[in-house]
C-alpha cells in the first residue's frame, strides 16, 4: 500500500523481491545500458509508482549478496543461476 510497506519487505529480505532483482540482472547480463529497470512499485495509498533501477557496475555485488541469501535458504537451483551469472560478468570485465 505504501513505500514504507515495500521497505519493510526489503528489510525482511522478502524472497519475491530478491528473485525479481536476480532475474532482472540475469535477463540483462549482456546489456550495454548503464542502468536496468528492476521493479515498479505501485503504492496504492500514495497513488504513486516508483521504479527501482540498478547500475550495471553493481551487478556482481548484488548477485553475491543474493547468492549468500539463497545459500542460507538452501535454494541451490537459484544459487547455480547466480553463480553462472557472476562468472559471465567476471569474464566480460
Amino acid at each position: 500500500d505504501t513505500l514504507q510497506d515495500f521497505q519493510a519487505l526489503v528489510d525482511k529480505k522478502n524472497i519475491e523481491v530478491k528473485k525479481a532483482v536476480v532475474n532482472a540482472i540475469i535477463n540483462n547480463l549482456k546489456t550495454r545500458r548503464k542502468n536496468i529497470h528492476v521493479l515498479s512499485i505501485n503504492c496504492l495509498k500514495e497513488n504513486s509508482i516508483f521504479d527501482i533501477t540498478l547500475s550495471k557496475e553493481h551487478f556482481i555485488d548484488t548477485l553475491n549478496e543474493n547468492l549468500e541469501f539463497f545459500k542460507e535458504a538452501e535454494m541451490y537451483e537459484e544459487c547455480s543461476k547466480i553463480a553462472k551469472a557472476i562468472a559471465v560478468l567476471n569474464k566480460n570485465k
Side-chain angles (χ1 to χ4, degrees), residues 73-86:
E74 297 181 359
M75 298 178 71
Y76 300 116
E77 186 174 323
E78 293 292 326
C79 292
S80 175
K81 290 178 189 176
I82 295 168
K84 287 176 185 176
I86 292 169

Side-chain angles (χ1 to χ4, degrees), residues 29-30 60 82-93:
L29 288 177
K30 297 181 181 179
I60 293 175
I82 295 168
K84 287 176 185 176
I86 292 169
V88 167
L89 291 168
N90 281 324
K91 182 180 175 185
N92 293 333
K93 270 188 170 180

Side-chain angles (χ1 to χ4, degrees), residues 24-93:
I25 295 171
I26 289 172
N27 291 332
N28 287 280
L29 288 177
K30 297 181 181 179
T31 189
R32 293 184 182 190
R33 294 186 214 156
K34 291 183 181 182
N35 296 296
I36 63 160
H37 179 265
V38 176
L39 293 169
S40 290
I41 308 303
N42 186 2
C43 297
L44 301 174
K45 288 185 179 177
E46 297 169 3
N47 197 27
S48 299
I49 296 175
F50 297 93
D51 289 318
I52 309 297
T53 61
L54 181 64
S55 172
K56 190 171 182 176
E57 67 186 44
H58 296 292
F59 280 12
I60 293 175
D61 292 338
T62 302
L63 288 173
N64 278 320
E65 179 181 319
N66 282 287
L67 180 59
E68 291 305 313
F69 173 83
F70 286 108
K71 279 182 186 176
E72 290 175 15
E74 297 181 359
M75 298 178 71
Y76 300 116
E77 186 174 323
E78 293 292 326
C79 292
S80 175
K81 290 178 189 176
I82 295 168
K84 287 176 185 176
I86 292 169
V88 167
L89 291 168
N90 281 324
K91 182 180 175 185
N92 293 333
K93 270 188 170 180

